[in-house]
Amino acid sequence: MPAIVLVGAQWGDEGKGKATDLLGSRVDAVVKFNGGNNAGHTIVVGAEKYALHLLPSGILTPGCIPVIGNGVVVDLGVLFEEIDALEARGVDTSKLVVSGSAHVITPYNRTLDKVTERFLGSSKIGTTGRGIGPTYADKMSRTGIRVQDLFDEDLLRAKVSGALNLKNQVLVKIYNRRAFVVDEVVGELLGYAQRLRPMVADTALLLDQMLSDGRTVVLEAGQATLLDVDHGTYPFVTSSNATAGGACTGSGIAPTRISRVIAVVKAYTTRVGEGPFPTELFDEAGERLRDVGAEFGTTTGRPRRCGWFDAPIARYATRINGVTDFVLTKLDVLTGLEQVPVCVAYEVDGVRCDELPMTQTEFARAKPIYEMFPGWEEDISKARALEDLPRTARDYVSTLEAMINAPISAVGVGPGRDETIAISDLLD
Ligand code: GDP
Ligand code: IMO
Ligand code: MG
């Protein structure tokens, strides 16, 4: 079985964690390929609820190998906290493998993330404050600290010292913060080395061998298409490639190995942090989506901005990721609406636009053109087949499917593992 990519189609929090978990025990490895503990994936198994940040969702599937790929940025303190919290709840984390080439989020980059945001004031990105942007910036500037550096103390000290030469100047002289001490930073990082060592491997090689042996590998994105640093609503994005292309560079798996790209899309839209959002609601309809959908950030607890389904965005996700299947989530949240508006295109400066406009200047001015679809009153959370849905809910699903240029293969009707309508097998 070749590799399968799973991405978010909108601005994150579509339910990627639940979707990965759904693929279940037939998956041999789940690889996180981008991002870090800015992600928050909620998975509900029976009465148990898990919030994962850095660990791949496959950690909850017995027998599955969870892999942190080279494209991830790792906060080692958070990694061990998450492992310990899961172990305390009886989850076996012993199979976890971490790429030696993944970059490490250092204490100074956590601080820089927070102070630069404060400095930006009203122009801020609204980051999660976890040090993600500065760590990827160091990676690209070739001054980053990698997991493998923790096993070469001289190299680590030289790299931290080199990085702090510049960063301490910035922290002290521009942001009026205290300087970091090289020995303290090195000491903190080395403190993790012994526990980390047995988890570290050449993950690209390991995954290649698994694929050659016919095993199933899922490449799971953090964040989502419109938060991708190249294809998202730049600069209001994260600092990694969250789209399907990033799955290859972030894991070392070649594009020719990938047979399927699953995109998770919510039946409406949410966004956390700043940036344009054409279908955003500022009235009680938005508050209703937030309340009923429990739209509060898994990582920062911030209320998520809410709006109606945006078809041009989903079509864009299909094109950029080469989506073969959609998982439509949170259909149940729309229950009780008399009519459900769907954005079918935009109007930009008086001109109809069926695709995302080329520039962010135009996108910031895009006004949604809505079509209204009839709603439904019935509780749909017990539906397990399309036929169990009321006619209008089924029509809503097929209407979206016709607009987004790829089949909907599963529909979420609740947060639980079993609260799903399976339409076609995502792994066959
Ligand atoms: P992720 O970051 O894409 O993994 O998504 P999050 O976990 O941050 O946010 C999705 C939220 O929706 C979580 O609280 C899930 O438990 C919940 N969820 C996922 N699918 C469904 C669904 O079909 N219906 C409902 N009501 N909740 C869902
Ligand atoms: P999951 O994987 C939603 C947003 C932040 C901010 C921007 C940049 O749970 O879908 P960063 O800290 O990455 O530099 O912040 O990206 N953001 C997310 N929004 N879900 C996420 O992850 C996010 N990860 C980052 O709110 O606007
Ligand atoms: Mg999330």
Side-chain angles (χ1 to χ4, degrees), residues 8 11-16 32 36-42 52-53 113 117 125-134 221-224 227 235-240 270-275 298-300 302 304:
W11 277 288
D13 306 321
E14 296 90 351
K16 297 176 291 292
K32 182 177 168 89
N37 56 316
N38 49 346
H41 304 312
T42 311
L52 302 175
H53 298 285
D113 190 2
E117 278 283 276
I125 307 293
T127 73
T128 58
R130 303 299 194 257
I132 306 295
Q223 295 77 52
L227 288 173
F236 301 102
V237 291
T238 192
S239 300
S240 65
T270 63
R271 168 161 213 175
V272 195
E274 309 302 316
T298 312
T299 299
T300 56
R302 288 178 286 179
R304 294 175 182 150

Side-chain angles (χ1 to χ4, degrees), residues 109-151:
N109 279 338
R110 274 195 303 267
T111 299
L112 276 166
D113 190 2
K114 293 191 187 105
V115 292
T116 44
E117 278 283 276
R118 220 166 294 149
F119 196 74
L120 283 169
S122 61
S123 314
K124 70 177 195 285
I125 307 293
T127 73
T128 58
R130 303 299 194 257
I132 306 295
T135 305
Y136 278 114
D138 278 4
K139 173 176 174 173
M140 292 307 173
S141 303
R142 293 155 295 179
T143 54
I145 310 293
R146 298 202 289 177
V147 163
Q148 57 187 276
D149 301 337
L150 267 61
F151 312 121

Side-chain angles (χ1 to χ4, degrees), residues 10-11 267-270 276-283 285-286 289 305-313 315 334 337 339-348 351-354 363 365-374 396 399-400 403:
Q10 296 151 319
W11 277 288
Y268 51 96
T269 313
T270 63
F277 179 178
T279 64
E280 182 169 14
L281 293 163
F282 299 96
D283 56 8
L289 288 176
R305 300 157 64 191
C306 296
W308 300 122
F309 189 84
D310 185 324
I313 281 177
R315 276 200 294 276
L334 301 180
L337 294 170
Q339 288 200 302
V340 190
V342 170
C343 167
V344 295
Y346 308 122
E347 190 207 295
V348 182
V351 179
R352 184 185 165 109
C353 234
D354 290 294
F363 190 58
R365 286 207 297 268
K367 293 193 184 68
I369 299 173
Y370 286 116
E371 277 182 27
M372 307 300 279
F373 297 90
Y396 183 72
T399 298
L400 296 193
M403 289 180 189

Side-chain angles (χ1 to χ4, degrees), residues 317-332:
T318 305
R319 173 159 61 83
I320 294 291
N321 296 292
V323 175
T324 58
D325 302 82
F326 273 101
V327 174
L328 177 71
T329 59
K330 301 193 117 170
L331 186 66
D332 52 301

